[in-house]
Amino acid sequence: MGTNAVNLLYLVTIVCFVLALKFLSSPATARRGNWIGAFGMTVAIVATLVKSGVHISWEMPVAAAIGSAFGLVGARRVKMTAMPQMVALFNGVGGGAAALVALAEFHELAPPPGRIQGDISVSILLSALIGSISFSGSLIAFAKLQELIKGRPITYPGQKLVNAAVFLGCLGLGAAILTGSEKQWLLWALIAGALVFGVMFVLPIGGADMPVVISLLNAFTGLAAAATGFELSNNVLIVSGMLVGASGTMLTLLMGRAMNRSIANVLFGAFGQVSAGDVATAGAGGGTVRSATADDVAVMLAYASKVVIVPGYGMAVAQAQHDVHALADVLEAKGIEVTYAIHPVAGRMPGHMNVLLAEANVPYPQLKELDEANAEFSRTDVSLVIGANDVVNPDARNNHGSPIYGMPILNVDQSQATVVLKRSMAPGFAGIENPLFVDPKTVMLFGDAKESVAKLAAGVKAL
Amino acid sequence: MSHTATLVAELTVLVLAIFLGIEVISKVPTMLHTPLMSGTNAIHGIVIVAALIVAGSAQQDGLIRIVGFVAVALAAANVVGGFVVTDRMLEMFKKKPQAKPKD
């Protein structure tokens, strides 16, 4: 098919993608939007296959079938609690594909005749660099979330210098290519360096900061895809890649704002590192922890008139979302008002808690965002904190010395009583003390979140 | 079109796409941020177009064949996985409670 016809089909794809994003503005239309996006993708693939100059070989369907089977099985089998790592993985393979496209293009163009046009070289370099960083970075993010490697920041002395050196080395190789040395090994070395950099860049970032990392890497892959668009003079790649780039960047900034931390601090701060000193001071802050039994808490809940549930990553780890909904049902059957307060950075990806609760069939109008939730705590009888810690830490409001000072939090300490479900008093992820736990209005219910919530539901029912 | 003219046109499209992206995405509620990420994740699977063009180029040698093959496979995983995962998530968002699924 001629170029103009193909480009018109690509325009259809672009419109579909924009509509897909637009329909995401409401949960009622979002699913239809996703189908429109998938349709647009199909149009783009078909248009590419019939494009003049594209020769269909037997390898193509085989490769596509292998990839699709992997994607389909992965996407179908994954548990909702493992969603962040799955998204990281799909993100990584996209980045990898962009880097490989750059490699092939360079291989095709680089040996003379003639120099490669400057802007083509730049786009090849960019997609190789960004795509590779996204690939290896996403794999490390995947490994951290899957707990194949430890989630805590992995640091060593001189780390930033080494990272900077590797990155500058990659830029140096890129400069060598741009200034006319079109040797193949230069690009291979650049890709190798970028892969190493991706690994070293994500290793020092703690698991709790993964929402920021995943959305940043998402933006990277988008940018890498846009760069391949410049290599191939292809608008659908440029526009779609850039839509993703813009979206990922915005989400990253939003996450940073929700934690009151700069993106630089998230990426380079090795936040959540527990030094010996931090552990020693944890729990030594005065005040006593009151622990309660499930039956005590059940009584508190049964006689409340308004209960707010504050879920955190602990709920995801314990896979307690279905039990939480069951508990809410029991409470509602007794005429108690139940809502959920969702902090924007609770969990391991933006909106993580919403997806888990949606999986448990919780109707979404019951999920309250930060401001709306905070307006309700003063008339709440019991706040039930399930596996959340930093996002309810009053130090963020009151203690200038706290590392999380200034982060907007859910003000559960303003409710009449707070129940915190937690495994043990061990310091939370960031190793930061939480005065909420020693607040006279707080009781702790120790144990696995899933079991505790099930016991609470049984207890309330029995009353 | 001359090479430079093409580049300028492409840059124009790029910049407009940035504004368009910011515009549509700022309307997405926090509640849907996970599906947004996973949906945009599927959209950058568009790199499959580039992978197919490379894999289908006339100038084939061993390296391009292998690289093209792997690129198509990776991009296909990105596309299919991305859209299917997003659909699974969005399917769950319900306004009213429903009869519990039996499992």
Side-chain angles (χ1 to χ4, degrees):
Chain A
M1 198 187 277
T3 319
N4 286 334
V6 169
N7 282 342
L8 281 176
L9 287 176
Y10 283 157
L11 181 60
V12 172
T13 301
I14 292 172
V15 171
C16 289
F17 286 169
V18 173
L19 286 177
L21 292 175
K22 208 171 153 45
F23 279 28
L24 263 177
S25 56
S26 153
T29 53
R31 195 176 181 202
R32 205 179 325 146
N34 189 49
W35 288 340
I36 296 176
F39 171 77
M41 186 65 79
T42 315
V43 170
I45 292 170
V46 171
T48 308
L49 291 176
V50 299
K51 191 173 150 78
S52 60
V54 173
H55 304 272
I56 301 178
S57 55
W58 63 267
E59 284 109 325
M60 274 184 200
V62 176
I66 294 174
S68 307
F70 169 80
L72 189 66
V73 171
R76 279 277 166 97
R77 292 253 174 94
V78 65
K79 287 203 168 137
M80 278 301 148
T81 41
M83 204 51 87
Q85 50 265 50
M86 206 62 208
V87 171
L89 196 61
F90 290 143
N91 186 49
V93 294
L100 290 174
V101 167
L103 195 61
E105 274 298 293
F106 191 64
H107 181 77
E108 204 172 311
L109 299 173
R115 292 275 312 278
I116 307 180
Q117 302 265 13
D119 60 293
I120 303 285
S121 300
V122 171
S123 5
I124 287 178
L125 293 175
L126 283 179
S127 57
L129 182 73
I130 305 174
S132 306
I133 293 176
S134 179
F135 178 70
S136 61
S138 299
L139 291 187
I140 295 298
F142 169 80
K144 281 200 170 212
L145 291 165
Q146 190 72 23
E147 288 174 356
L148 299 174
I149 54 177
K150 57 178 186 168
R152 284 196 185 284
I154 297 172
T155 54
Y156 54 86
Q159 188 171 32
K160 279 174 200 159
L161 276 179
V162 175
N163 288 3
V166 173
F167 189 69
L168 288 176
C170 292
L171 292 187
L173 290 165
I177 293 173
L178 277 183
T179 49
S181 180
E182 290 172 356
K183 299 256 175 15
Q184 291 293 322
W185 70 266
L186 285 172
L187 192 69
W188 286 93
L190 184 144
I191 288 180
L195 288 173
V196 172
F197 179 77
V199 171
M200 300 203 310
F201 158 73
V202 179
L203 276 181
I205 304 176
D209 285 338
M210 280 303 143
V212 184
V213 175
I214 296 185
S215 84
L216 184 72
L217 291 172
N218 190 32
F220 276 12
T221 304
L223 293 177
T228 63
F230 280 92
E231 285 158 38
L232 302 166
S233 291
N234 188 315
N235 274 339
V236 75
L237 285 165
I238 296 177
V239 174
S240 321
M242 208 55 229
L243 284 176
V244 180
S247 140
T249 310
M250 267 191 63
L251 266 186
T252 310
L253 295 174
L254 272 178
M255 295 291 108
R257 204 180 307 150
M259 298 193 288
N260 192 41
R261 284 161 58 201
S262 70
I263 300 306
N265 175 281
V266 174
L267 299 181
F268 307 118
F271 198 78
Q273 226 185 140
V274 181
S275 65
D278 290 337
V279 178
T281 55
T288 10
V289 172
R290 289 198 302 146
S291 115
T293 65
D295 289 336
D296 297 339
V297 176
V299 173
M300 283 172 71
L301 292 173
Y303 290 98
S305 57
K306 180 171 169 60
V307 172
V308 176
I309 297 175
V310 183
Y313 186 54
M315 183 186 80
V317 173
Q319 311 223 11
Q321 64 271 30
H322 293 279
D323 303 84
V324 170
H325 187 206
L327 171 62
D329 280 348
V330 173
L331 291 173
E332 281 174 333
K334 287 195 178 283
I336 301 165
E337 185 191 347
V338 180
T339 55
Y340 300 79
I342 314 284
H343 193 278
V345 293
R348 289 292 185 268
M349 67 190 288
H352 194 181
M353 294 300 126
N354 301 89
V355 170
L356 290 181
L357 291 170
E359 187 205 4
N361 254 323
V362 174
Y364 62 78
Q366 274 185 8
L367 311 180
K368 307 293 178 197
E369 291 179 13
L370 189 71
D371 293 334
E372 205 184 341
N374 274 339
E376 289 183 7
F377 280 117
S378 55
R379 47 181 198 86
T380 297
D381 299 304
V382 182
S383 293
L384 194 60
V385 178
I386 305 175
N389 188 346
D390 293 342
V391 298
V392 292
N393 189 339
D395 263 0
R397 222 174 42 225
N398 309 324
N399 179 355
H400 287 262
S402 171
I404 56 168
Y405 180 72
M407 164 170 155
I409 57 156
L410 290 163
N411 300 321
V412 292
D413 54 334
Q414 289 171 358
S415 53
Q416 298 302 312
T418 305
V419 178
V420 178
L421 273 65
K422 204 171 175 328
R423 272 181 179 283
S424 67
M425 268 314 279
F429 187 85
I432 302 168
E433 213 176 310
N434 193 338
L436 177 70
F437 302 157
V438 294
D439 188 304
K441 287 191 296 182
T442 302
V443 295
M444 309 289 293
L445 177 55
F446 292 113
D448 175 71
K450 192 176 162 77
E451 283 169 24
S452 297
V453 170
K455 276 188 211 156
L456 288 180
V460 173
K461 217 178 225 171
L463 284 169
Chain B
M1 254 196 292
S2 79
H3 184 79
T4 319
T6 314
L7 179 64
V8 171
E10 285 170 356
L11 282 175
T12 311
V13 167
L14 177 84
V15 172
L16 291 177
I18 297 176
F19 283 100
L20 181 62
I22 293 174
E23 195 56 34
V24 284
I25 281 135
S26 55
K27 306 246 162 44
V28 178
T30 349
M31 183 201 301
L32 289 174
H33 275 176
T34 291
L36 168 66
M37 217 147 87
S38 140
T40 52
N41 195 2
I43 289 178
H44 68 50
I46 192 69
V47 73
I48 196 168
V49 165
L52 287 172
I53 292 176
V54 163
S57 78
Q59 216 186 340
Q60 293 276 3
D61 63 9
L63 181 86
I64 291 189
R65 281 181 97 117
I66 295 169
V67 169
F69 186 89
V70 180
V72 171
L74 291 181
N78 184 172
V79 169
V80 175
F83 281 114
V84 174
V85 152
T86 313
D87 187 57
R88 267 190 66 192
M89 284 179 200
L90 291 173
E91 189 188 355
M92 301 179 316
F93 280 85
K94 310 251 167 56
K95 196 158 192 173
K96 294 202 183 78
Q98 298 193 336
K100 294 228 176 76
K102 289 180 191 95
D103 49 13

